[in-house]
Amino acid sequence: MAMQSPEILLKELNYALRRLRGACSTLGDEDIDRQLLAVMQRLLLAEVMGNTWIVAVGGSQGAGKTTLMASMYDMHGNGPQWLQSNEGRGEKLPVLITESADCQHPQGYVRRLVPDAASHGFKLDDVRVDVAEFERAIRDPQAEDLLPVLRVPRRYFQRDNQAWLLLPGYEKQD
């Protein structure tokens, strides 16, 4: 029996958890759902990190992480403010910032669980969102929001599997 790579195993585990969430949703138990979603968020992030070359940007709240990323991609003008300064409000989810040669302007997405009738579970989909919904997904995510993704024009990376990961701010006591 051949050993499967960790990436394949992680992808299969994430798929199985999406199906399990579909089965558990009939129970209506919010505690099980909350715990399952927390595991799914961590495992999705592990899957992304296993498939993507990541540069993480971390630090305490108010350190300037969001401002730095917005400045690097010239998002401080009159256009949509995808990465708004948020001193003191803090993100609940990390933000994956990916570059693409096909992208002309920044665009927000939320990697979200959506019902999948074919599998009687959930599938993971990158749902295109406006600035307000992107900000809400970062600071006050719905249960189905697993990872906000900001796609920006290629500037610093040479390949599609390279990205920034803007981590939620932490406090010194954390």
Side-chain angles (χ1 to χ4, degrees):
M1 184 172 180
M3 291 283 292
Q4 288 185 324
S5 71
E7 292 85 17
I8 291 174
L9 290 172
L10 193 52
K11 187 174 185 171
E12 289 177 359
L13 178 59
N14 282 332
Y15 175 75
L17 286 173
R18 289 192 292 272
R19 291 202 58 210
L20 177 62
R21 180 161 188 251
C24 287
S25 65
T26 60
L27 296 175
D29 188 326
E30 290 182 21
D31 190 46
I32 290 174
D33 195 48
R34 183 182 48 75
Q35 291 178 24
L36 187 56
L37 284 167
V39 170
M40 293 173 77
Q41 286 172 336
R42 289 185 193 114
L43 289 176
L44 173 62
L45 196 53
E47 184 178 341
V48 167
M49 291 176 72
N51 297 325
T52 309
W53 186 81
I54 299 279
V55 176
V57 179
S60 62
Q61 285 191 21
K65 303 174 299 295
T66 302
T67 302
L68 171 67
M69 297 309 297
S71 295
M72 289 175 62
Y73 290 98
D74 298 324
M75 290 188 269
H76 284 302
N78 294 330
Q81 299 297 304
W82 289 103
L83 294 174
Q84 298 175 21
S85 179
N86 57 24
E87 188 172 338
R89 289 182 283 171
E91 300 89 354
K92 301 285 191 275
L93 293 177
V95 178
L96 186 68
I97 302 171
T98 63
E99 293 185 351
S100 173
D102 300 332
C103 184
Q104 300 302 315
H105 305 283
Q107 177 60 55
Y109 296 82
V110 177
R111 203 156 287 168
R112 182 177 284 163
L113 293 172
V114 294
D116 181 27
S119 71
H120 302 289
F122 289 85
K123 66 180 180 176
L124 197 58
D125 197 9
D126 279 3
V127 177
R128 188 175 177 157
V129 296
D130 63 14
V131 172
E133 189 173 353
F134 186 76
E135 286 295 314
R136 186 213 36 83
I138 294 170
R139 287 179 187 69
D140 188 22
Q142 295 175 356
E144 293 77 20
D145 297 343
L146 298 184
L147 182 65
V149 178
L150 182 61
R151 293 184 187 152
V152 295
R154 188 172 310 281
R155 182 169 285 181
Y156 300 102
F157 298 123
Q158 300 305 312
R159 289 184 230 122
D160 288 337
N161 65 336
Q162 298 173 316
W164 303 97
L165 187 65
L166 182 58
L167 298 173
Y170 61 85
E171 293 301 319
K172 292 179 182 177
Q173 67 269 18
D174 296 337

